[in-house]
Amino acid sequence: VYKRQRYVFGQGNAGEARAYHLDVEKIDGETINEERYALEWQHDGFLPGGVRMIADGLYINDDEFFSDFGEVAGEYNRTEVKSIFSLSKNWEKYNLIGRLEYIKDLESDDDTTLQKLPSISFDASRQRIGTSVFYYALNTDYTKFWSDEGLKGNRLIVRPTLSTNFQLWDVINLVPEVTYRERYYWGLNEGYDPEHQGIAAFTTRATTQLQRVYHQPYGQSEKLRHSIEPELVYTYIPEVKQ
């Protein structure tokens, strides 16, 4: 049995739900007498307050569902099932995303599969510091790692960036940038101590633009602009063990 339901709500909310159900008597001549089913849900839309919600979930009641009935479900060689649920909020220069990600290994009963439950990121795009010539940007990422067996813990990555830009001979745009990346682990299993590692990087980006406007007698446009924008980037990262 295969059922499929699509829906469209207001404010751009839309999705699709699918269900597969099979009463299995025999497989390769062997009596099974079991039920096999899969439930799938995909959704993309907005909640009150401009919060975007995305869901892409899949549940199967048997690890061999796709290998046994791949033709029915449309897939036969899947090695894992991944389900994702995320909420995000965008402002003019800021972005906040919360995400749940669960992976089920279909090839083995390995309980050490590392899950991200949850991961949260907050980013600030490049913006001027007051009326100065300097700009800053910020990227942060928090992840809670979990598994039935094996390593567990928390990780926080913070990456602030300071940059500026100026013109050379009114031809070349030069953008030097300094970035510091701090990575911190804590709440690990017994026997593991909290640890952190910081690393700085320096990048310089040089760009220019060559352009010319051509007059053309054909078509609706009377002029055509052709531009070339070469870019040279140099990045220095110290030799720090990560």
Side-chain angles (χ1 to χ4, degrees):
V1 179
Y2 169 60
K3 292 186 178 181
R4 177 180 180 180
Q5 181 65 50
R6 292 181 177 178
Y7 59 87
V8 178
F9 298 144
Q11 298 181 345
N13 289 278
E16 182 176 325
R18 292 186 290 267
Y20 307 87
H21 181 268
L22 294 161
D23 288 320
V24 184
E25 296 182 359
K26 292 184 178 182
I27 296 180
D28 296 332
E30 182 180 352
T31 301
I32 301 296
N33 290 330
E34 294 180 355
E35 285 187 322
R36 302 282 179 87
Y37 60 88
L39 304 174
E40 188 171 7
W41 178 45
Q42 295 175 329
H43 177 86
D44 190 354
F46 288 88
L47 300 175
V51 177
R52 185 180 184 183
M53 183 181 80
I54 297 177
D56 188 358
L58 174 61
Y59 174 80
I60 57 175
N61 73 325
D62 191 281
D63 291 354
E64 298 181 354
F65 179 89
F66 290 106
S67 60
D68 290 340
F69 308 104
E71 293 183 1
V72 176
E75 300 175 78
Y76 63 91
N77 59 351
R78 294 189 64 159
T79 60
E80 67 179 26
V81 171
K82 179 185 293 187
S83 295
I84 298 172
F85 178 82
S86 71
L87 297 174
S88 62
K89 172 69 175 178
N90 293 312
W91 294 270
E92 184 178 354
K93 296 182 178 180
Y94 302 95
N95 184 42
L96 177 64
I97 300 176
R99 178 183 173 104
L100 298 172
E101 180 178 306
Y102 186 83
I103 299 174
K104 179 177 177 60
D105 191 339
L106 302 181
E107 293 189 317
S108 65
D109 294 328
D110 189 1
D111 293 330
T112 63
T113 301
L114 210 55
Q115 315 292 348
K116 298 178 181 179
L117 301 171
S119 62
I120 302 172
S121 65
F122 176 77
D123 299 326
S125 61
R126 187 175 185 265
Q127 50 196 289
R128 186 188 293 270
I129 302 176
T131 58
S132 70
V133 298
F134 296 100
Y135 297 80
Y136 81 92
L138 177 67
N139 303 103
T140 62
D141 182 81
Y142 164 77
T143 303
K144 171 70 174 182
F145 293 106
W146 177 87
S147 62
D148 289 328
E149 296 180 4
L151 193 61
K152 300 179 178 68
N154 304 270
R155 182 187 68 189
L156 176 65
I157 297 177
V158 180
R159 184 177 179 272
T161 300
L162 181 67
S163 64
T164 187
N165 62 278
F166 51 88
Q167 295 282 331
L168 292 179
W169 309 293
D170 293 328
V171 175
I172 300 175
N173 186 43
L174 199 63
V175 183
E177 180 180 279
V178 177
T179 300
Y180 183 78
R181 183 176 185 270
E182 179 71 21
R183 183 178 58 194
Y184 181 55
Y185 289 92
W186 78 96
L188 305 176
N189 299 47
E190 185 177 353
Y192 292 89
D193 296 326
E195 61 178 65
H196 67 92
Q197 176 68 62
I199 185 171
F202 174 76
T203 299
T204 298
R205 177 176 286 102
T207 61
T208 189
Q209 186 180 74
L210 306 172
Q211 64 179 13
R212 181 177 177 179
V213 176
Y214 295 90
H215 295 274
Q216 60 169 2
Y218 306 105
Q220 297 180 353
S221 300
E222 296 181 355
K223 298 180 180 180
L224 176 67
R225 185 177 67 179
H226 185 187
S227 64
I228 301 176
E229 299 182 11
E231 180 181 71
L232 179 64
V233 180
Y234 171 79
T235 300
Y236 173 73
I237 301 176
E239 294 185 9
V240 177
K241 182 179 179 182
Q242 301 183 63

